[in-house]
Amino acid sequence: MDVVTLAGIPPLGAEAKGFMDKGELVPDNLICKVIMERIDQPEAEDGFLLDGFPRNAEQADILEDALDSRGRSLTAVLLIDAPDDEVIKRISGRRVCIKNQHVYHVDYDPPKHEGVCDQDGARLIQRDDDKEETIRRRLQVYHSQTEPLIAHYDAQGVLRRFDGTRDPDEVHARLRATVATLRLEDP
């Protein structure tokens, strides 16, 4: 039986939430424990995808050690490669419905009426983490902490690059095709 706190959050998740609620970064060791707890679940036995993780060399080392101790390894690392200006354009153009979280993009998937959700008529907003100044700060962190992992995974032969300047639907289709191919190749 799973151990669950009163709030319905597993203990490691509750510990991580405590850091986030204070506006602090979750320590690398803890975030890695949360990830590995999830990977150890039966539904991840046949494979898993990690989005935005690892974010730095320490997390990558912890992940590799933890997977190695379980007799597992990374099959691939998927990199959607795009210049900062394109990343800013893609993220800052996102708008979200306040009622049901439907997602739009001002350039790629605009609503029929500006600022109004097509599905439920609710107001569309730009989340704080989708604002240009926030994205620029996140990109600085990415360049200093995460970008060095590209060479690390490339040297291991697991890095797969995707041109993030292409149409979003094309990038999505290529990602899906690559994941499907990797699953077929996996023994």
Side-chain angles (χ1 to χ4, degrees):
M1 177 188 241
D2 290 338
V3 177
V4 178
T5 64
L6 291 177
I9 301 172
L12 288 176
E15 190 176 342
K17 186 177 179 326
F19 285 97
M20 292 183 288
D21 287 349
K22 292 186 280 187
E24 298 174 4
L25 291 176
V26 178
D28 290 338
N29 254 353
L30 177 57
I31 197 69
C32 290
K33 284 179 187 176
V34 170
I35 296 284
M36 294 315 299
E37 183 178 78
R38 189 72 183 122
I39 288 172
D40 287 339
Q41 297 301 309
E43 61 269 14
E45 214 171 84
D46 206 23
F48 55 89
L49 291 171
L50 301 173
D51 181 9
F53 180 87
R55 291 186 187 270
N56 60 48
E58 184 177 349
Q59 288 179 358
D61 291 342
I62 294 169
L63 174 65
E64 288 174 29
D65 289 346
L67 288 173
D68 189 50
S69 73
R70 290 161 171 80
R72 298 179 83 171
S73 63
L74 293 176
T75 304
V77 173
L78 311 177
L79 172 66
I80 302 173
D81 206 3
D84 287 1
D85 289 343
E86 184 69 19
V87 171
I88 291 166
K89 179 181 177 184
R90 300 259 177 130
I91 297 174
S92 67
R94 186 168 41 202
R95 299 296 183 268
V96 180
C97 164
I98 61 171
K99 184 175 180 184
N100 290 303
Q101 307 304 306
H102 301 118
V103 179
Y104 296 86
H105 193 279
V106 296
D107 295 320
Y108 302 110
D109 185 23
K112 290 177 184 148
H113 303 285
E114 187 177 336
V116 179
C117 179
D118 295 343
Q119 298 181 48
D120 59 28
R123 185 169 52 95
L124 299 177
I125 62 163
Q126 181 182 40
R127 298 181 338 195
D128 287 340
D129 59 337
D130 288 346
K131 293 184 177 169
E132 185 173 340
E133 56 276 6
T134 304
I135 300 164
R136 287 191 185 281
R137 281 194 304 273
R138 289 168 48 201
L139 282 167
Q140 288 174 341
V141 172
Y142 168 80
H143 290 304
S144 68
Q145 295 183 18
T146 307
E147 193 171 53
L149 294 176
I150 294 171
H152 172 75
Y153 288 122
D154 198 23
Q156 289 184 7
V158 296
L159 185 69
R160 306 289 189 277
R161 290 178 184 264
F162 300 87
D163 182 354
T165 63
R166 294 185 177 270
D167 178 80
D169 291 334
E170 182 182 344
V171 174
H172 179 253
R174 288 177 184 252
L175 284 165
R176 289 182 60 89
T178 298
V179 170
T181 301
L182 289 167
R183 286 194 53 121
L184 291 173
E185 293 173 358
D186 197 27

